[in-house]
């Protein structure tokens, strides 16, 4: 699901474990709103989605749930450290009816 693109400095707050944890907690809080925004934007089952700046992967995982097993979501990020976290999280998620997210990539 993810690919890296450049130096960690692309993201002002960096990619320390603390900042990554903050993003994950923030996502838990905003997931319902984010999912609604993605659906309003037109995401539908079967679509192919590119998530640029996926970070730890929370929006990527939401998009994967919407597009389902017939769709694909590719998360890319400039920061290799963020991608490590996103890949580990993707690998630990059970496949479920929406399918398993693929490992994020850097680029
Ligand atoms: C605020 S974080 C958001 C992460 C995730 N989308 C979320 O909502 O939790 C922004 C991310 O964008 C990445 N980023 C910034 N500029 C980028 C670029 N030009 N190409 C790829 N990733 C980039 C950063 O490395 C950082 O992980």
């Amino acid at each position: 699901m993810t690919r890296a693109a450049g130096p960690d400095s692309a993201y002002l707050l960096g990619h320390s474990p603390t900042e990554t944890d903050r993003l994950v907690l923030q996502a838990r809080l905003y997931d319902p709103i984010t999912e609604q925004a993605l659906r309003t934007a037109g995401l539908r089952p079967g679509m192919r989605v590119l998530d640029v700046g996926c970070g730890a992967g929370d929006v990527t995982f939401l998009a994967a749930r919407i597009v389902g097993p017939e769709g694909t979501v590719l998360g890319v990020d400039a920061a290799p450290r963020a991608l490590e976290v996103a890949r580990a999280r993707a690998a630990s998620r059970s496949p479920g009816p929406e399918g398993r997210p693929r490992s994020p990539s850097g680029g």
Side-chain angles (χ1 to χ4, degrees):
M1 173 194 47
T2 46
R3 189 168 297 163
D8 278 26
S9 59
Y11 180 46
L12 197 60
L13 298 179
H15 294 89
S16 66
T18 302
E19 171 57 12
T20 301
D21 287 348
R22 186 192 69 77
L23 286 173
V24 171
L25 283 172
Q26 176 180 274
R28 272 188 215 153
L29 185 64
Y30 290 116
D31 264 6
I33 297 166
T34 306
E35 180 169 350
Q36 188 56 47
L38 293 176
R39 291 185 187 280
T40 301
L43 252 68
R44 298 284 180 268
M47 283 185 163
R48 293 186 297 167
V49 176
L50 176 63
D51 180 6
V52 179
C54 65
D58 292 283
V59 175
T60 319
F61 300 145
L62 275 182
R65 193 159 78 202
I66 296 171
V67 302
E70 303 305 317
T72 59
V73 181
L74 175 65
V76 300
D77 202 285
R81 217 178 319 164
L83 291 173
E84 275 176 36
V85 174
R87 286 190 181 112
R89 293 178 75 209
S92 71
R93 295 170 88 84
S94 61
E98 73 278 5
R100 180 189 292 279
R102 287 190 301 156
S103 181
S105 19

